[in-house]
């Protein structure tokens, strides 16, 4: 469809017809109003000039004036201003102008003729009559510009002659005044007529615009399921279309003249619509209901005011879409994967429970390492695991409990009217036991565990606050390890506030260069020589002192700061040790987020190039959790020439499978085994098994956390290759390590080896 212009020059013929209609209408309306003033003017002239002027002259003039007045009234009564016949309008307009011009000439001739026979000193009468005759053009000729100009010129000539007859040579100032007044009136008449033409042009443009809009609306109605409605200033329907009539199951003629709101079912929606219609206020998609064939249908009605005080708009049947919306709303309140209530539905229910001041407790449940399950087994298995967990939780729930899924692996159980803390802890253990039940998906065993945080709604606790407390308790449970439970207490809140403070200070510390590196030597248990150094991160806090990494690295991981900190550690460690002499290796720890970062290898490559540190002497220590998330990155690191060590070996549940999947250069025995090695036969057996397994696979072993000579002696006897710990040397800043190296003062192990 071609675009419709917003404005268009009106057709000359249409403009001519409209101006004639408006001029004739104005003349017809003004004729009765002019009757009384004209009769009064004739009587005044006769009363003033009848005695001095000849009676025949006054009688003739009076008869002519009355005849013209009668002709004017008759012509005005016979006009048909609304006619669409331009020729008829033209004929009527010529008659109007003729009677107006003749009347003007009659008045113009009357003044000098009658005044010539009247006393010359009657200047007051002349002035008043002249002013009235001039001013009458604004009332009697306001819609007829040509007749108005002729009237002004005729009256100016007649009045000038009259003044000259009455005053002689002294008349020239008044004659000039009459001329100026005549020019002013002519200019006013022309300006008034231009405004009149402009108003007619605007009216034609408005009518054309309305016709185009009507055409577009009709086309829209023909192409859509919507139906158009229009009401007049009295609120009655008109121009009822067949589609609108079918909507109300009636004939168009039956609906003509009815009020739109009277066709609707009673109710608040109809009252709202009726108020909008009465106020002539625009509205959109107001719901309304009608009954058709014993069925209640839902409508959506929109409308806007129209020129002339009416309104028009659209309506459509939204019964089917509303049913769909109800289904969508139901789906929007449930989790699509598990069928449990989602966060929106749960939050609404929780708010209602707490608003009723009912005692309640909230158990927040988070599956341990679920992201690793997705990465290791695939998302399809992950979805099956989530559905299985949901079924297990629902099975353990009681009547009145609400189970919901709030996130990827985050579930909650809302318990109304709970018992004491002992009962809540017992129920949490039952939930954990249900999650621990063996699960096999497509022949793959999946080991599950979770953490549970418990919080009570005490003292008018809000929904957001109860959720926050349960999440704090869950965080405390996760910090204790796998498969743990924690009950909220105020200490958790204090620690959470301290954690937020620490997070803010950590961001400032990174930019403020408060991070430092300490180095701890690694020695060979065979020779006692230093074979390497491990770079260990510390935070030199301005108020808290020197903080170990376990105080802030967890926060860094959660807040996304770990990649930035890790890049700094790699660059600083290589730069500080590049000038140290000797064929030692430098061990640097990598976090899970670092290993997942796509720019890790380019960052390491750049740091090696800047420092000149040999890549073959660089060792990266990673944990089993890091491996669980990404093993591909290890091959890229190895291609750089660096060595890879498996840190904290034995603390996870897949250590042996990793030793088969990846070729490590070194295995680090966790300090928890070293601590108990002197008193625990089990710890000794584990260490011996690790050293033998590593040797069989061509890997070396390093023991962490050596603090006593007895531990060192047992590690050497059990076949461990290297050791580090406070017994050997505590971690020190680079400058102190350099000073010791310059003096040749290394760790003294001669007494223990």
């Amino acid at each position: 469809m071609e675009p419709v212009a917003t404005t268009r020059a009106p057709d000359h013929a249409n403009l001519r017809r409209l101006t004639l209609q408006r001029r004739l209408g104005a003349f017809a309306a003004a004729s009765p109003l002019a009757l009384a003033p004209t009769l009064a003017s004739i009587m005044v002239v006769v009363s003033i000039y009848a005695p001095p002027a000849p009676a025949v002259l006054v009688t003739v003039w009076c008869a002519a004036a009355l005849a013209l007045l009668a002709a004017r009234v008759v012509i005005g009564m016979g006009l048909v201003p609304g006619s669409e016949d331009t020729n008829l309008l033209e004929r009527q307009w010529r008659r109007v102008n003729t009677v107006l011009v003749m009347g003007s000439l009659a008045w113009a001739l009357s003044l000098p003729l009658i005044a010539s026979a009247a006393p010359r000193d009657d200047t007051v009468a002349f002035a008043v009559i002249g002013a009235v005759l001039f001013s009458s053009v604004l009332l009697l000729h306001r819609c007829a510009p040509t007749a108005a100009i002729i009237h002004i010129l005729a009256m100016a000539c007649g009045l000038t002659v009259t003044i000259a007859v009455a005053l002689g040579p002294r008349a020239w100032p008044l004659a000039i005044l009459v001329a100026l007044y005549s020019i002013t009136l002519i200019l006013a008449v022309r300006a008034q007529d231009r405004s009149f033409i402009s108003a007619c042009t605007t009216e034609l443009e408005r009518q054309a615009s309305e016709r185009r809009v009507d055409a577009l609306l009709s086309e829209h109605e023909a192409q859509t399921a919507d139906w158009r409605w229009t009401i007049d200033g009295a609120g009655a329907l008109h121009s009822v279309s067949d589609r609108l009539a079918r909507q109300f199951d009636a004939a168009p003629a039956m609906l003509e003249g009815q009020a739109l709101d009277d066709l609707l079912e009673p109710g608040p929606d109809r009252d709202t619509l009726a108020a909008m219609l009465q106020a002539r206020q625009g509205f959109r998609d107001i719901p309304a209901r009608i009954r058709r064939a014993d069925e209640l249908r839902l409508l959506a009605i929109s409308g806007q005011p129209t020129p002339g005080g009416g309104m028009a708009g659209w309506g459509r049947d939204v019964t089917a879409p509303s049913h769909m919306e109800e289904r969508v709303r139901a789906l929007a309140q449930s989790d699509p994967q598990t069928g449990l209530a989602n966060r929106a539905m749960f939050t609404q229910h929780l708010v209602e429970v707490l608003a009723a001041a009912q005692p309640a407790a909230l158990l927040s449940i988070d599956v341990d390492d679920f992201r690793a399950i997705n990465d290791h087994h695939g998302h399809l298995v992950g979805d099956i695991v989530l559905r299985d967990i949901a079924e297990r939780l629902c099975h353990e729930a009681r009547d009145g409990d609400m189970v919901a899924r709030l996130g990827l692996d985050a579930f909650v159980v809302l318990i109304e009217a709970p018992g004491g803390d002992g009962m809540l802890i017992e129920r949490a253990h039952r939930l954990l036991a249900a999650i621990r039940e063996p699960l096999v998906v497509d022949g793959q065993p999946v080991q599950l565990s979770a953490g549970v945080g418990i919080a009570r709604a005490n003292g008018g606790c809000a929904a957001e606050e109860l959720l926050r407390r349960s999440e704090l308790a869950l965080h405390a449970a996760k910090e204790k390890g796998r498969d743990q439970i924690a009950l909220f207490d105020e200490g958790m809140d204090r620690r959470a506030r301290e954690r937020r403070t620490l997070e803010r200070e950590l961001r400032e510390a990174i930019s403020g260069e408060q991070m430092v590196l300490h180095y701890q030597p690694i020695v060979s248990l065979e020779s006692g020589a230093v074979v390497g150094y491990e770079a260990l991160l510390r935070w030199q806090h301005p108020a808290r002192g020197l903080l170990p990494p376990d105080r802030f690295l967890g926060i860094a991981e959660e807040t996304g700061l770990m990649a930035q900190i890790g890049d700094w550690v790699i660059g600083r460690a290589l730069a500080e040790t590049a000038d140290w002499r000797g064929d030692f290796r430098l061990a640097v720890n990598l976090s899970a987020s670092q290993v997942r970062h796509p720019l890790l290898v380019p960052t390491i490559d750049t740091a090696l190039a800047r420092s000149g540190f040999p890549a073959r002497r660089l060792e990266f220590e990673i944990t089993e959790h890091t491996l669980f998330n990404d093993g591909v990155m290890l091959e890229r690191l190895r291609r750089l020439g660096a060595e890879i060590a498996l840190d904290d070996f034995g603390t996870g549940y897949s250590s042996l499978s990793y030793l088969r999947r990846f070729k490590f250069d070194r295995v680090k025995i966790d300090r928890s085994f070293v601590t108990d090695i002197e008193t625990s036969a089990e710890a000794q057996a584990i260490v011996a098994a690790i050293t033998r397994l590593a040797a069989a696979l061509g890997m070396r072993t390093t023991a962490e956390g050596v603090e006593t000579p007895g531990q060192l002696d047992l590690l050497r006897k059990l076949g461990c290759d290297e050791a580090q710990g406070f017994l050997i040397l505590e971690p020190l800043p680079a400058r102190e390590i350099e000073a010791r190296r310059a003096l040749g003062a290394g760790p003294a192990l001669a007494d223990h080896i």
Side-chain angles (χ1 to χ4, degrees), residues 58 159 164 203 255 263 509 602:
V58 173
L159 192 59
E203 174 67 13
L255 299 181
L263 303 175

Side-chain angles (χ1 to χ4, degrees), residues 39-53 58 61-62 114 122 125 129:
L39 286 174
S41 299
I42 294 173
M43 293 174 62
V44 169
V45 170
V46 171
S47 65
I48 292 176
Y49 294 107
V58 173
W61 176 84
C62 182
I114 299 177
D122 200 358
I129 293 173

Side-chain angles (χ1 to χ4, degrees), residues 472 476 487-499:
L472 287 176
L487 191 66
F488 174 81
D489 59 50
E490 294 300 329
M492 293 179 184
D493 207 9
R494 290 192 298 271
R495 289 191 293 273
R497 288 195 297 269
E498 182 180 357
R499 183 182 179 87

Side-chain angles (χ1 to χ4, degrees), residues 568-589:
W568 179 88
V569 169
I570 293 170
R572 179 60 65 90
L574 292 176
E576 288 184 340
T577 60
D579 296 332
W580 293 2
R581 295 181 179 179
D583 193 21
F584 63 89
R585 72 177 187 274
L586 176 65
V588 177
N589 291 277

Side-chain angles (χ1 to χ4, degrees), residues 340-421:
L340 299 177
N342 62 9
R343 180 179 289 273
M345 183 177 180
F346 169 77
T347 302
Q348 179 181 353
H349 180 69
L350 180 59
V351 169
E352 293 172 356
V353 169
L354 298 180
Q358 299 180 24
L362 186 62
L363 278 62
S364 288
I365 305 163
D366 186 85
V367 181
D368 295 327
D369 288 330
F370 180 75
R371 189 182 298 275
I373 294 175
N374 265 342
D375 294 340
H376 188 65
H377 297 284
H379 288 275
L380 182 61
V381 172
D383 292 344
I384 295 174
V385 169
L386 288 174
R387 288 193 291 270
D388 189 82
I389 292 174
E391 291 177 2
R392 297 181 184 191
L393 295 178
C394 290
H395 183 267
E396 290 297 328
R398 300 177 182 176
D399 292 341
D401 294 348
M402 184 179 195
V403 183
R405 181 187 177 210
L406 304 188
L408 175 64
D409 57 340
F411 297 85
V412 291
V413 178
L414 178 63
I415 302 175
E416 298 183 36
D421 291 347

